[in-house]
């Protein structure tokens, strides 16, 4: 083995400063070659078919690969350069091919099946059984368990679907780029704030034009629809945007996704049936917490029945406001965002800039760690001298109540060049006990906040605070795991309609007075967040909550019904299904030419097929879990309660995917999730 290559050194923490792009290919090549040899050996006819030989070996191989790849992939995200990008691409391709090859390996599938069939299987500890069951399920879903000719047909469908989903998103992208409107008279942009105009000016500069360029990119669409006084401009942008890649609108028929939607739906249905499911909705639920299509439909309909009357009242008030204050007698689809924004400003006059001085980053971090300490008895302390990729990065040891270090976290908070935008938690090391050695979990926590300036700490918006709490929630899920099998520990393998539970759960504290008082103090005066400001913050949080919910419900129901009720004889009928859904839940009815499905990339080009409901589902779980803390606070006097926190840690955070998420939820809450919690968190109870 080449010990000069830090990617092969198997260090406890990666030696970031010694990693060079030219080391990536040799490391990955060597690791993949070893991996293949080891799989060949374990699937050899004479090899034993027990848990340690078959399952633990795979976990060990996966971890060895992950120890090399996690730092490379992380550097690619946070400290990118041309040489690294050039090394990253081919290595990632090799890893993808390797993963597909493993998923299609019938000998490996048979070996895992043999472990499950052995008489001693029932006596294995629950996490070990869960690991085997997950592996078998994934083999089945990848089609490897099928017999010919179904097996070949299933593979063909997979290739075809991946081509179609790329074509679908390309069509949306091409249609978005094909349309723009050049504006030279600034008066046409009246109402759009300076930040929005700057974006439109930049689009013009990019095209060597003077003035402004209105495009169909997100920031442009939002600036126009929410702020432009010019109603004609709003209508044209709405028309172009809501007919992208369809048979309608300014480029009608040119990028049309209609035929692709038909093919995608037909192939998904066929693939689901090959695997033995009645339809693609059922197949989707095989990896989710929701037990059956009926459960999903009841969840969505129940929510709709409660949210719709609120949305109707909100819409009536909005219409009245638009008539009286904005002289808009008919509130059209392209007026809704604009009128809402005006109403919001009138009602709350809440400016993010007013709040920022109360959220200096160092205090927010201290408050967040202090909160985790009071809830779970853990302490995070910076460790100096850890090899990092940038001087801004801090490494923290995470200690339990007994003082023992059980995890670690890299925290990298400021935006800079070469760093991908957004915020996320990623795994550096997973908790793993291979029988000889215990590897402790380590997380990467990455944000893109505005850095401090001369003499002033970094000040966060309240949204930033929620983002930080959210990602830290994912982090706790990873770090507090007690499962030592990485494929089912932490966030790995958790049903994906439940994986956002710990993250969204933490966000609740960002709206809680008691938690805010731990850190929200003016960075100059030390004054607590004033009550009056806090009240306006809470009121603005629930502004148009009903309208927001019915729109989410419309998307979720459309997606789910489309997959659930697909009938090969009738075809996909996306517009008819959407119409049906709107009759049930919507309060706003867009014009007949609107073509929302044709740009719905989440569902037709992303991973959300028959899964869009997950957003609402996970939100319900997190709200209901937080409800337990609220109820206990009546007895304990505090929502930040250690006893409840310990139970949440033990029953939800610690168990990973070693048991179904529903079982974990019930173990913590004492009952199944109840929809009231979601309504309460939206202020609709
Ligand atoms: Zn998340």
């Amino acid at each position: 083995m080449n010990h000069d290559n830090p990617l092969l050194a198997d260090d406890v923490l990666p030696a970031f400063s010694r990693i060079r792009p030219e080391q990536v290919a040799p490391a990955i090549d060597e690791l993949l070659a070893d991996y293949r040899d080891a799989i060949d050996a374990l699937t050899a006819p004479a090899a034993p078919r027990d848990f340690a030989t078959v399952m633990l070996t795979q976990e060990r191989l996966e971890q060895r690969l992950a120890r090399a790849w996690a730092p490379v992939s992380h550097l690619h995200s946070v400290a990118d350069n041309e040489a690294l990008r050039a090394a990253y691409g081919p290595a990632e391709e090799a890893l993808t091919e390797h993963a597909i090859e493993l998923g299609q390996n019938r000998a490996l599938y048979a070996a895992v099946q043999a472990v499950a069939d052995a008489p001693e299987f029932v006596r294995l500890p629950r996490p070990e059984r869960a690991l085997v069951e997950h592996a078998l399920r994934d083999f089945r879903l990848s089609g490897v368990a099928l017999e010919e000719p179904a097996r070949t047909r299933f593979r063909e469908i997979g290739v075809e679907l991946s081509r179609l989903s790329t074509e679908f998103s390309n069509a949306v992208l091409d249609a978005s780029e094909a349309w723009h409107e050049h504006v030279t008279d600034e008066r046409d942009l009246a109402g759009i704030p300076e930040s929005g105009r700057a974006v439109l000016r930049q689009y013009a500069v990019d095209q060597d034009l003077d003035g402004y360029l209105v495009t169909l990119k997100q920031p442009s669409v939002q600036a126009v629809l929410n702020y432009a006084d010019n109603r004609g401009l709003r209508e044209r942008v709405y028309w172009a945007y809501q007919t992208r890649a369809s048979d309608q609108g300014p480029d009608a028929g040119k990028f049309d996704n209609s035929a692709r939607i038909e093919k995608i739906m037909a192939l998904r249905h066929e693939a689901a049936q090959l695997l033995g499911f009645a339809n693609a909705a059922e197949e989707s639920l095989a990896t989710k917490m929701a037990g059956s299509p009926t459960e999903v439909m009841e969840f969505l309909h129940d929510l709709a029945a409660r949210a719709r009357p609120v949305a109707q009242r909100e819409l009536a008030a909005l219409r009245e406001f638009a008539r009286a204050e904005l002289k808009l007698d008919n509130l059209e689809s392209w007026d809704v965002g604009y009128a809402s924004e005006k109403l919001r400003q009138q009602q709350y006059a809440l400016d993010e800039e007013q709040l920022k001085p109360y959220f200096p980053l160092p205090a927010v971090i201290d408050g967040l760690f202090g909160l985790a300490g009071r809830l779970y008895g853990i302490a995070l302390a910076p460790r100096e001298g850890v090899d990092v990729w940038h001087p801004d990065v801090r490494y923290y040891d995470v200690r339990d109540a007994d003082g023992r270090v059980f995890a670690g976290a890299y925290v990298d908070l400021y935006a800079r060049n070469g760093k991908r935008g957004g915020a996320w938690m990623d795994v550096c090391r997973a908790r793993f006990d291979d029988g000889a050695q215990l590897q402790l979990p380590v997380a990467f926590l990455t944000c893109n906040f505005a850095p401090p300036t001369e003499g002033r700490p970094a000040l966060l918006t309240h949204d930033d605070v929620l983002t930080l709490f959210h990602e830290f929630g994912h982090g706790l899920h990873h770090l507090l795991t007690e499962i030592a099998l990485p494929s089912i520990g932490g966030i790995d393998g958790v049903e994906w309609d439940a994986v956002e539970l710990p993250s969204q759960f933490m966000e609740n504290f960002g709206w809680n007075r008691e938690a805010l008082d731990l850190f929200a103090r003016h960075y100059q005066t030390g004054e607590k967040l004033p009550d009056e400001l806090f009240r306006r913050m809470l009121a603005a949080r629930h502004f148009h909550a009903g309208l927001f919910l019915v729109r989410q419900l419309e998307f979720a129901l459309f997606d789910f019904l489309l997959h659930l009720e697909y009938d090969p004889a009738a075809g996909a009928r996306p517009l008819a299904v959407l119409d049906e859904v709107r009759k049930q839940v919507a309060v706003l009815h867009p014009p007949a030419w609107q073509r929302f499905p044709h740009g719905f990339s989440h569902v037709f080009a992303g991973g959300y097929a028959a899964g869009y409901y997950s957003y609402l589902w996970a939100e319900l779980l997190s709200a209901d879990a937080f409800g337990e803390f609220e109820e206990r606070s009546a007895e304990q006097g505090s929502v930040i309660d250690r006893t409840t926190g310990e139970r949440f840690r033990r029953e939800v955070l610690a168990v990973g995917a070693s048991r179904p998420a529903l079982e974990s939820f019930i173990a913590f809450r004492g009952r199944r999730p109840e929809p009231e919690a979601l309504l309460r968190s939206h202020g609709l109870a």
Side-chain angles (χ1 to χ4, degrees):
M1 195 195 280
N2 175 5
H3 287 287
D4 297 339
N5 190 333
L7 296 173
L8 293 169
D10 259 352
D11 296 318
V12 174
L13 292 174
F16 284 103
S17 65
R18 294 199 296 118
I19 296 174
R20 304 276 170 267
E22 62 272 19
Q23 295 157 341
V24 174
I28 297 302
D29 286 350
E30 183 176 329
L31 290 170
L32 287 181
D34 289 355
Y35 202 132
R36 284 191 192 101
D37 289 347
I39 293 293
D40 286 346
L42 89 81
T43 52
R49 297 287 184 260
D50 54 47
F51 183 86
T53 313
V54 178
M55 303 310 293
L56 216 48
T57 303
Q58 289 185 70
E59 292 289 277
R60 202 177 291 125
L61 292 166
E62 229 11 84
Q63 282 311 295
R64 201 169 154 233
L65 197 54
R67 277 193 293 273
W69 186 242
V72 172
S73 140
H74 184 65
L75 287 176
H76 173 65
S77 293
V78 299
D80 202 18
N81 58 56
E82 231 170 276
L84 183 60
R85 215 172 309 155
Y88 178 88
E92 198 203 20
E93 245 171 69
L95 288 167
T96 307
E97 262 172 48
H98 166 77
I100 293 172
E101 204 181 288
L102 277 181
Q104 294 294 328
N105 187 328
R106 296 200 96 193
L108 186 58
Y109 168 58
V112 177
Q113 186 65 59
V115 175
D117 292 342
E120 56 271 25
F121 179 71
V122 291
R123 288 191 298 276
L124 292 179
R126 179 124 193 223
E128 297 189 1
R129 274 183 286 138
L131 181 68
V132 174
E133 282 155 4
H134 273 234
L136 288 176
R137 179 199 71 191
D138 293 344
F139 272 123
R140 283 187 205 113
L141 291 175
S142 77
V144 71
L146 295 173
E147 296 304 326
E148 294 298 355
R151 195 158 164 250
T152 301
R153 176 62 188 149
F154 186 85
R155 255 205 319 269
E156 284 167 6
I157 292 175
V159 173
E160 181 70 359
L161 274 174
S162 122
R163 186 180 62 78
L164 282 165
S165 78
T166 307
E167 281 181 19
F168 185 98
S169 56
N170 285 346
V172 175
L173 197 69
D174 291 347
S176 303
E177 285 180 355
W179 188 92
H180 45 75
E181 196 170 305
H182 189 201
V183 175
T184 46
D185 188 342
E186 199 162 354
R187 281 169 299 182
D188 287 332
L189 301 180
I192 299 180
E194 184 42 44
S195 59
R197 286 180 200 214
V199 170
L200 304 184
R201 204 176 303 124
Q202 189 56 47
Y203 293 153
V205 170
D206 292 345
Q207 302 291 320
D208 283 327
L209 294 168
D210 57 350
Y212 304 85
L213 199 64
V214 175
T215 73
L216 296 185
K217 291 194 176 71
Q218 261 317 309
S220 167
V221 173
Q222 269 169 17
V224 170
L225 291 182
N226 290 340
Y227 297 105
D229 296 334
N230 184 336
R231 195 182 194 191
L233 180 64
R234 291 204 306 268
E235 179 175 355
R236 291 193 298 279
V237 166
Y238 179 90
W239 177 59
Y241 188 73
Q242 291 289 351
T243 56
R244 282 171 307 157
S246 78
D247 60 331
Q248 298 289 321
D251 287 310
K254 203 167 161 196
F255 308 102
D256 195 355
N257 268 334
S258 304
R260 286 183 199 109
I261 292 176
E262 282 299 334
K263 275 192 215 146
I264 288 171
M265 292 308 301
L267 291 173
R268 280 182 183 167
H269 187 77
E270 188 187 345
Q273 294 210 325
L274 284 174
L275 295 179
F277 297 101
N279 50 61
E282 260 192 21
E283 182 193 341
S284 155
L285 296 189
T287 48
K288 297 191 176 66
M289 173 179 167
S292 68
T294 314
E295 201 183 336
V296 174
M297 293 301 290
E298 277 175 3
F299 164 68
L300 295 173
H301 276 136
D302 181 57
L303 213 51
R306 296 151 188 255
R308 201 175 185 215
V310 182
Q312 274 160 339
R313 281 199 299 279
E314 288 168 355
L315 183 62
L318 184 66
R319 280 193 209 284
E320 186 44 45
F321 170 81
R323 201 164 18 238
E325 306 278 327
L326 307 173
K327 307 283 168 274
L328 292 171
D329 286 336
N330 275 318
L331 191 72
E332 302 284 357
S333 294
W334 44 91
D335 300 325
V336 174
Y338 176 76
S340 297
E341 193 49 43
K342 287 272 184 287
L343 179 60
R344 187 210 305 267
Q345 283 166 18
Q346 196 201 57
Q347 281 187 348
Y348 309 110
L350 190 69
D351 182 354
E352 279 284 5
E353 294 303 314
Q354 276 178 290
L355 291 170
K356 276 165 75 172
Y358 295 93
F359 300 127
L361 183 55
V364 177
I365 289 282
D366 284 351
L368 178 58
F369 290 176
L371 177 64
R374 286 177 53 182
L375 286 171
Y376 309 121
I378 61 171
L380 288 92
R383 193 208 297 179
E384 301 304 322
V386 174
D387 188 347
V388 295
W389 54 93
H390 189 277
D392 285 349
V393 181
R394 292 280 165 278
Y395 182 86
Y396 292 85
D397 282 318
V398 189
R399 286 174 199 279
D400 219 334
D402 59 7
R404 176 183 52 99
V405 173
F406 70 92
Y410 293 92
V411 179
D412 180 3
L413 297 175
Y414 301 121
R416 61 171 179 268
N417 288 337
K419 184 171 170 181
R420 176 157 64 87
W424 67 92
M425 190 286 291
D426 214 344
V427 172
C428 174
R429 300 286 190 247
R431 186 177 173 87
F432 181 39
D433 186 351
D434 73 347
Q437 221 176 349
L438 177 66
Q439 172 177 276
L440 297 179
V442 176
F444 294 122
L445 269 174
T446 314
C447 295
N448 269 281
F449 300 140
T453 53
E454 192 62 35
R456 204 204 67 184
L459 300 178
L460 302 188
T461 64
H462 185 248
D463 253 1
D464 290 340
V465 172
L466 297 178
T467 299
L468 182 62
F469 275 47
H470 180 103
E471 299 309 332
F472 189 63
H474 282 307
L476 289 171
H477 198 184
H478 174 60
L479 300 174
L480 293 175
T481 200
E482 280 163 26
I483 303 302
L485 297 166
S487 301
I488 53 157
I491 58 172
D492 236 323
V494 173
E495 296 99 311
W496 85 322
D497 48 358
V499 78
E500 294 292 331
L501 160 59
S503 52
Q504 299 193 357
F505 167 78
M506 280 306 287
E507 285 186 48
N508 287 289
F509 290 99
W511 291 104
N512 177 268
R513 180 83 232 195
E514 211 190 323
L516 284 168
D517 280 348
L518 292 178
F519 60 89
R521 277 190 174 64
H522 197 284
Y523 78 102
Q524 286 165 316
T525 65
E527 172 207 17
K528 275 189 189 177
L529 185 68
D531 276 335
E532 186 268 337
L533 210 50
F534 178 63
R535 265 200 303 277
R536 272 195 288 149
M537 239 172 82
L538 281 188
R541 177 192 186 189
H542 296 137
F543 178 69
H544 281 182
L547 286 167
F548 169 81
L549 275 178
V550 294
R551 202 173 53 240
Q552 288 297 307
L553 284 163
E554 180 183 322
F555 300 163
L557 275 166
F558 165 69
D559 159 51
F560 204 77
L561 270 178
L562 196 68
H563 291 88
L564 182 66
E565 295 188 342
Y566 181 83
D567 170 6
R573 307 163 48 249
L575 297 177
V577 173
L578 186 57
D579 233 32
E580 221 174 283
V581 167
R582 281 182 178 152
K583 278 191 197 114
Q584 291 168 22
V585 299
V587 296
L588 280 158
H589 294 275
W593 45 256
Q594 199 243 30
R595 288 291 180 270
F596 163 73
H598 295 69
F600 201 7
S601 297
H602 267 81
V603 163
F604 296 112
Y608 280 84
Y612 197 86
Y613 78 91
S614 298
Y615 283 111
L616 290 167
W617 187 275
E619 202 188 336
L620 162 62
L621 298 178
S622 65
D624 205 358
F626 190 69
E628 174 77 6
F629 284 80
E630 290 175 313
E631 286 163 26
R632 293 283 153 237
S633 79
E635 303 153 23
Q636 313 289 346
S638 169
V639 80
I640 309 171
D641 172 46
R642 179 74 187 277
T643 316
T644 317
E646 282 294 343
R647 275 203 303 119
F648 187 66
R649 174 178 176 177
R650 191 174 63 239
E651 303 293 0
V652 177
L653 298 176
V655 297
S658 67
R659 65 183 184 192
L662 179 62
E663 209 179 307
S664 300
F665 185 91
I666 292 174
F668 170 66
R669 198 62 168 104
R671 57 161 175 74
R672 300 172 69 88
E674 284 174 2
E676 280 74 18
L678 182 54
L679 295 169
R680 239 188 350 264
S681 85
H682 281 279
L684 303 183

